Amino acid sequence: MLKVSMPGAIVLLAPVFAAAQLAPVTNTPLPLPKALVFPNYDAVVVGKEQALEGGAYIARASDASANFYNPAGLVQSEKTALSASSAGYVYTKLTSTLSGESISSTKIDSVPGYIGAVTEMPFSDARNVRFGLSITRAVNWSPGPIDQRFDATALGFDRVNYSTAASFQTQVYQVAAAWAPVEDHSIRLGLGVGLAQTSYNSNTTVSGALTSEGQPSQFMQTIRSNGTDSALLFTVGAQWDVARGVTVGMYFRPPGLELWNSSLVTTESANIGATSSSGEYFRDEGGIFRYKLPLEAGIGAAYSFGVFELEGDLRYHEAVAQYTLYQSNVPFQVLTASSNAPNTITTASPPLVKYAAKRVFNVALGGRARIGHIATAHAGFNTAMSPVGDPDNSPLRASDLFGFTGGVDFQFKNLGFSLGAGYQFGKTAAQTSILGNTTIGQAEISLQSISVFYAISYEF
């Protein structure tokens, strides 16, 4: 599961463009940075065995986890079964080449990444039909907060403080059905219908002091924002046992159909000087927050021989043209106070945030080997390439991520459990940071995370 945070010094001095901002920056020397969010697809892997193999299970999904990977695989389940998986302990380290600082954070996540069930048709013993139900955290960004102070005297600041906390999650509630049209179940078809809820939350504050023309000044800007977007998802899937030991699979998911959304955004800024002060205020509980889920498709091929199984998957996410991520009709309130003139209150244009996603291809490779009657070893690799269409102008962060996973699962007569670990890494592209007319240098952020996977399943 994706768990990363960002070093404050680097994001504070990162380039910020009008399209990536929720508020004007006329009253503070420093703009607010972009949201500390990586919206990468396919960064979360779930399942008792599947998470240990990098999520390479489009062709081989055959238990309750098929709700997530390919609904066609549900029909391979002989019995009613329940399963749940999570990434428990996550250690994250990020390094900024600009600030030269290294920030590490740890967090224990007690929220399951996946819980699902598969069962036979009610009041029937038909073996060629199965039903599934699942709740899946398909995207999970929830790092620990950052609160730091750094030296910016070279830029003319006496003091700069930065604090932030952000989360970005997509949770899918899905029901699915699978059917085998041939007696030997060598061809399997599936259909899933789900509700996807994407939520965004961010609290960020930048404050400090500087001296301009011999006069001291204090500045602060803060933004508190959250939004939720709900969409309807449909998934169709298929699997085919082409020959002995060879299986292929595919799934197709059209773009999400938006149902409803909500948001709450509050932002304030102030610049207090020796002879004049100014401030801005904005709050809107009825703005529009939208996050579009793109068309998605995947294909996979698996081969088994002896005690070994291997699979390779390719997942595709269509591009999304630029659209309005957040929009409000409430204007900013601007107050200007001076010792030499009357106070004035004016308004500024409401905030408008745009976002676009590019076409993305991700791969997953996984395999397993039986090492006894009850134990199986697993290993895998997967990519989560950034969908951010324009890293310079996007309100979200861009970084290609790569992950390795591995572990062991144990299966008894009815009970199964697994334990493993994952390592994920990536870095942002180098960009020149500019503050006003001053070039700060090349900004590059590298990130690493280590996760502990655990899962349990039970067959009735």
Side-chain angles (χ1 to χ4, degrees):
M1 301 178 72
L2 176 62
K3 294 295 181 82
V4 292
S5 57
M6 301 289 295
I10 179 64
V11 296
L12 184 60
L13 299 176
V16 182
F17 293 78
Q21 300 172 28
L22 283 177
V25 295
T26 56
N27 292 322
T28 50
L30 286 174
L32 283 173
K34 301 177 184 181
L36 306 185
V37 169
F38 289 92
N40 299 46
Y41 314 124
D42 304 323
V44 174
V45 290
V46 301
K48 184 172 70 71
E49 304 174 4
Q50 297 80 2
L52 306 180
E53 297 186 29
Y57 255 81
I58 295 175
R60 291 179 296 157
S62 60
D63 57 13
S65 68
N67 285 289
F68 178 75
Y69 290 102
N70 187 344
L74 291 170
V75 78
Q76 295 202 76
S77 180
E78 293 286 344
K79 304 176 181 179
T80 295
L82 297 172
S83 67
S85 67
S86 181
Y89 181 81
V90 180
Y91 171 83
T92 306
K93 179 178 180 179
L94 301 102
T95 303
S96 163
T97 59
L98 178 62
S99 65
E101 297 182 13
S102 176
I103 300 173
S104 300
S105 63
T106 59
K107 184 176 182 180
I108 296 177
D109 188 355
S110 60
V111 179
Y114 170 84
I115 182 169
V118 56
T119 186
E120 60 189 13
M121 180 184 297
F123 313 110
S124 173
D125 59 356
R127 180 60 192 86
N128 65 334
V129 179
R130 287 292 184 268
F131 294 92
L133 177 67
S134 65
I135 302 174
T136 308
R137 185 66 56 83
V139 176
N140 190 53
W141 159 273
S142 184
I146 295 172
D147 195 332
Q148 70 176 128
R149 172 181 176 176
F150 68 96
D151 184 9
T153 55
L155 305 176
F157 296 95
D158 301 326
R159 182 183 70 255
V160 176
N161 296 303
Y162 174 81
S163 65
T164 187
S167 65
F168 185 80
Q169 300 168 342
T170 297
Q171 188 147 299
V172 180
Y173 306 85
Q174 179 168 282
V175 294
W179 172 55
V182 294
E183 186 175 353
D184 63 357
H185 294 184
S186 60
I187 297 177
R188 301 173 289 278
L189 306 174
L191 171 66
V193 181
L195 173 66
Q197 290 189 322
T198 299
S199 60
Y200 165 80
N201 182 277
S202 179
N203 294 311
T204 301
T205 299
V206 177
S207 63
L210 76 161
T211 301
S212 178
E213 299 180 355
Q215 298 295 325
S217 177
Q218 301 282 333
F219 63 88
M220 182 192 74
Q221 186 167 357
T222 181
I223 182 170
R224 301 177 295 278
S225 58
N226 64 74
T228 301
D229 184 82
S230 298
L232 186 64
L233 292 180
F234 294 93
T235 305
V236 294
Q239 292 177 335
W240 179 28
D241 296 332
V242 180
R244 181 179 179 84
V246 180
T247 302
V248 295
M250 62 78 63
Y251 74 90
F252 175 79
R253 183 176 297 129
L257 300 177
E258 185 178 0
L259 298 176
W260 61 80
N261 58 65
S262 63
S263 68
L264 170 60
V265 175
T266 300
T267 179
E268 298 175 85
S269 66
N271 190 10
I272 303 174
T275 59
S276 64
S277 301
S278 59
E280 292 174 345
Y281 173 77
F282 169 84
R283 179 182 174 90
D284 186 9
E285 301 179 26
I288 298 175
F289 170 78
R290 303 172 62 205
Y291 183 74
K292 293 187 177 183
L293 299 173
L295 178 150
E296 179 182 347
I299 57 174
Y303 178 59
S304 62
F305 53 100
V307 298
F308 300 97
E309 285 187 12
L310 300 173
E311 179 168 339
D313 293 347
L314 176 66
R315 292 182 172 89
Y316 166 79
H317 301 265
E318 179 59 284
V320 180
Q322 187 181 71
Y323 65 96
T324 299
L325 183 72
Y326 176 78
Q327 183 175 18
S328 172
N329 292 319
V330 177
F332 286 92
Q333 302 297 315
V334 182
L335 170 65
T336 302
S338 174
S339 59
N340 301 320
N343 295 349
T344 61
I345 298 179
T346 57
T347 60
S349 301
L352 179 66
V353 181
K354 300 285 188 177
Y355 177 68
K358 66 181 180 180
R359 182 179 295 113
V360 170
F361 290 91
N362 287 323
V363 299
L365 304 172
R368 67 180 184 177
R370 286 194 172 275
I371 53 177
H373 294 293
I374 62 173
T376 305
H378 304 263
F381 167 80
N382 70 299
T383 68
M385 311 304 284
S386 175
V388 175
D390 184 352
D392 288 336
N393 295 291
S394 172
L396 306 181
R397 297 278 169 177
S399 178
D400 294 333
L401 303 176
F402 306 88
F404 293 92
T405 59
V408 180
D409 87 273
F410 303 88
Q411 183 64 52
F412 300 93
K413 182 178 181 181
N414 299 105
L415 177 68
F417 66 91
S418 66
L419 183 65
Y423 173 69
Q424 194 171 60
F425 64 95
K427 64 181 179 180
T428 62
Q431 295 178 346
T432 300
S433 294
I434 300 176
L435 182 63
N437 296 320
T438 304
T439 300
I440 309 304
Q442 291 294 314
E444 183 179 277
I445 305 168
S446 62
L447 56 100
Q448 305 172 67
S449 68
I450 300 174
S451 305
V452 175
F453 299 124
Y454 54 88
I456 188 170
S457 66
Y458 189 83
E459 294 182 345
F460 295 90

